[in-house]
Amino acid sequence: MDARNTSLTVKHEGSSEDQASDFSIDFDWLLGVAKRQWKIVAATVVVFVALGIAYVLTAVPLYQATTNILIDRANTVVVEQLSKFGENVDDDASVLSQVELLKSSAITMGTVDKLKLDEDPVFMASDDGVITQLKNFVRSLLNVSTWFVSDTVTNDDKDRMRQNASDKVRNNMDVSRTGKSYVLALNFVSPSKELSARIANGIAEAYLNDKLDAKYDATRRASDWLQDRIAELKQKALESDLAVQKFRTANGLVSTGTQLVSDQQLTELNSALIASQADVASKMARFDRIQQIIKDGQMDAIVTDVLASTISNDLRSKYLTASKRADQLAAILGPDHESVVRQRNEMADYKRQMFDELGRIAESYKSDVDVAKAREKSLKDSVTQATSVSAGANETMVQLRELERSSETYKNLYQSFLQKFQEAVQQQSFPVTEARIISPAVVPTTPAYPRKTLVVALFAILGAAAGSGIGMFREYRDRFFRTAEQVRDVLGLETLGTAPLISKIGKPIDKVGPEPSEREIRKSSAVMDYVLDHPLSPFAEAMRSVKIAADMVLPSASCRIIGVVSTLPGEGKSTIAVNLSELLASQGSRTVLVDADLRNPGATRAIARHAEKGLVEAIFEQASLEECLLRSKRSNLAFLPAVMKQRLPHSAELLSSAAMRHLLNRISDHADYIIVDLPPLAPVVDARAMAGSVDAFVYVTEWGRVARRMVRQTLQAEPRIYEKCLGVVLNKVDMNRMKLYQTFGSAEYYHSSYSNYYREG
């Protein structure tokens, strides 16, 4: 006892107690839940399937008609070639926009008006089921305000009916894109198969008509706007062109077609100046050349004008003749001869005359250079003047070009808008849209809704889900002791044994033989002799386990006083106390059973209803102990009953009194075991009062009845009882249901393996 923890641990509070709070969800646990709750799940599934069948049988069948619309890009190209105001359907967003257009109120209202659906009683009839219609009928009967409403249909009522019909069309239709194509699938459901097909085709026709009307309205509005814009642009073009001409005239900007006259003159002067500069350079070079010839006295140097001069050519011829003659004479007469000298003098004279002629030619060259330079200077002055004029004209041309650009812009806009106006006029009478019906709706042959198999399957799934939820809630609410492992985890105590639920409870013992004497135990039920009648049963084995635990915990005690307690009344502690006492007595131990439950003496009622004296008389010594004890001939068990002739207001004080302790000591002198059947712990304090006189306690809890939290809190409030507690006996265990709580490795899992060791007979 001392080696065991003497305080009840609370670490499992909120975890082990409540399976839903903190527990390990494993496969074994799930299988256990399935085995325990499958009937609830199955029953819920059956109920939901029945509801599903009832819904299928009462639901109004709906027929679905489908028409397919193609957003034809080929037609779009044709339209766009004729008018830039056509819609461009080139991307996903445009196709999805057409889906929303089909769902718009413009289309649905157009369908209602065309097919007169607001006047169709079949269409306007309610689609609700029988239950909903009945509920609406009852509600209308209870609505007193509708009893006095006039039957006259007003315009507001007609508008409301049209709107209701439009809403009904929108609610019963579905438009979706077929994959990534340009095909739109339009579905419509209705209780009438013919009406479904008619409305589906009507919606498609209304969509196409709306497209045509929208295109016509767009082109008409565009042409009206273009007419006003064209008139405005025409006036702007005329005004801008007139402004260009006035500006030219005002600034003298005369042109020859491609450029201004001043620019042309400047170009010509520049060309003449360049030519003049080249001429000056050429003549200057010629003059410099002849000057160099004269300066160097080069006889062999020739210029063009010398060759053209007859004087120069004649003088050169005479010079050459004189030179030839001088050379001949010098060769004959010698270089110093008078004739040779005379010839040389003639040569010098001819040379002088030749250079004089060159000087005159040079003067003419110089005159040509001066004339060319004067012309060049004149051209430069003209160019400077023309440049100044052109620069001024160019500054003015900036404004002119701006006016010309403005004029050209207005001209282009005018031409463009005029062309678009012609296209828009043509488009008004060109009935082509970018959409067409590729498969009209046909009358369906079978209803699309409700899908009976799917609905029933869905209800079955919902039933399974609801049943699983109920089952899980039941598991969550199952806070009772079911297994020895739960006892160990929650209470920190070992399970001494599991006492099965005895099916013979309440069956009286067959009376065979003579009537027992007043000093004998008289059992009113066979369950009190169960351990004697079935010594090899699991119940008897649980009692032996209690005896072994008491012998091991109290090995040296000459007399072991064992108290049997429970949390609440009715858990079977008196049955356990009687059978435990019978087992001990049948094994030869001197055993005395004391019924200490002075408020509700269950053991006395079960085995000694005839007793006239008992525990109270023995305590107060109104009778001797031997006079109060009853015995069993079968096992030699001694029983001290509790004969309550009147209620005792101070039973706890009586049990904790010195007289009670003295009585137990007197009994201990003649007994090996004293089994005390104590009151339950929760309602009264009698067991706590007697805790000091008891060596050990056996805690009895009913399987699947008392909440684990209740048991734990009760033991927490009774630490003296807890520290002396040998363990727990799970009583009234349903062994068939116990199998549902077995997990791999637990004692319950192997129950079938050692069940052959037990015999009920």
Side-chain angles (χ1 to χ4, degrees), residues 306 309-321 350 353-354:
V306 171
S309 174
T310 57
I311 297 174
S312 295
N313 289 332
D314 184 48
L315 290 173
R316 185 173 182 80
S317 177
K318 290 179 178 181
Y319 176 81
L320 291 175
T321 300
Y350 289 148
Q353 292 180 11
M354 289 173 60

Side-chain angles (χ1 to χ4, degrees), residues 39-229:
K39 292 182 179 179
I40 292 294
V41 176
T44 310
V45 169
V46 170
V47 171
F48 271 74
V49 168
L51 292 176
I53 294 174
Y55 170 77
V56 168
L57 295 177
T58 59
V60 177
L62 299 177
Y63 296 88
Q64 176 175 291
T66 302
T67 181
N68 293 321
I69 301 173
L70 173 65
I71 308 300
D72 197 346
R73 299 185 64 193
N75 283 350
T76 303
V77 173
V78 172
V79 174
E80 290 177 355
Q81 289 176 350
L82 294 174
S83 173
K84 298 302 180 183
F85 299 99
E87 296 183 22
N88 187 9
V89 188
D90 288 335
D91 53 12
D92 293 343
S94 299
V95 177
L96 295 178
S97 298
Q98 301 306 307
V99 173
E100 296 302 320
L101 176 60
L102 275 165
K103 299 178 181 179
S104 65
S105 59
I107 303 300
T108 57
M109 192 64 75
T111 305
V112 170
D113 294 338
K114 182 178 180 180
L115 301 180
K116 300 185 182 303
L117 296 178
D118 55 332
E119 301 175 5
D120 190 334
V122 176
F123 177 77
M124 296 301 292
S126 175
D127 297 340
D128 298 328
V130 176
I131 297 176
T132 305
Q133 291 181 8
L134 181 61
K135 183 171 63 175
N136 293 336
F137 175 72
V138 173
R139 186 183 293 115
S140 64
L141 290 179
L142 298 177
N143 189 2
V144 182
S145 60
T146 61
W147 296 358
F148 307 101
V149 177
S150 174
D151 295 334
T152 304
V153 179
T154 62
N155 292 332
D156 293 340
D157 294 334
K158 292 182 179 179
D159 293 338
R160 189 180 304 108
M161 292 180 64
R162 288 179 67 248
Q163 186 61 47
N164 292 338
S166 175
D167 294 339
K168 193 169 185 179
V169 170
R170 184 183 302 105
N171 294 333
N172 291 339
M173 68 180 290
D174 177 69
V175 183
S176 61
R177 183 180 183 182
T178 305
K180 293 295 184 179
S181 66
Y182 290 91
V183 177
L184 302 180
L186 190 154
N187 303 316
F188 189 84
V189 294
S190 170
S192 171
K193 58 180 72 176
E194 294 80 6
L195 191 61
S196 296
R198 189 159 62 94
I199 294 178
N201 290 324
I203 295 173
E205 292 294 337
Y207 169 71
L208 297 182
N209 292 336
D210 181 79
K211 298 291 288 182
L212 288 173
D213 293 341
K215 191 175 297 298
Y216 176 80
D217 291 340
T219 53
R220 181 180 56 79
R221 287 193 299 268
S223 62
D224 293 342
W225 179 81
L226 284 173
Q227 282 183 327
D228 298 336
R229 187 60 176 161

Side-chain angles (χ1 to χ4, degrees), residues 472-502:
M472 293 303 296
F473 181 75
R474 283 165 54 87
E475 286 292 319
Y476 171 76
R477 297 297 299 174
D478 188 3
R479 304 180 181 185
F480 315 115
F481 286 109
R482 300 289 188 179
T483 63
E485 183 179 1
Q486 291 175 345
V487 173
R488 187 182 307 110
D489 291 342
V490 177
L491 303 179
L493 298 174
E494 294 297 331
T495 302
L496 299 178
T498 55
L501 179 65
I502 300 174

Side-chain angles (χ1 to χ4, degrees), residues 519 618 623-631 666 670:
R519 307 301 301 163
S624 64
L625 181 60
E626 289 301 326
E627 291 177 347
C628 297
L629 288 175
L630 303 179
R631 293 190 180 274
R666 288 166 53 196
H670 306 283

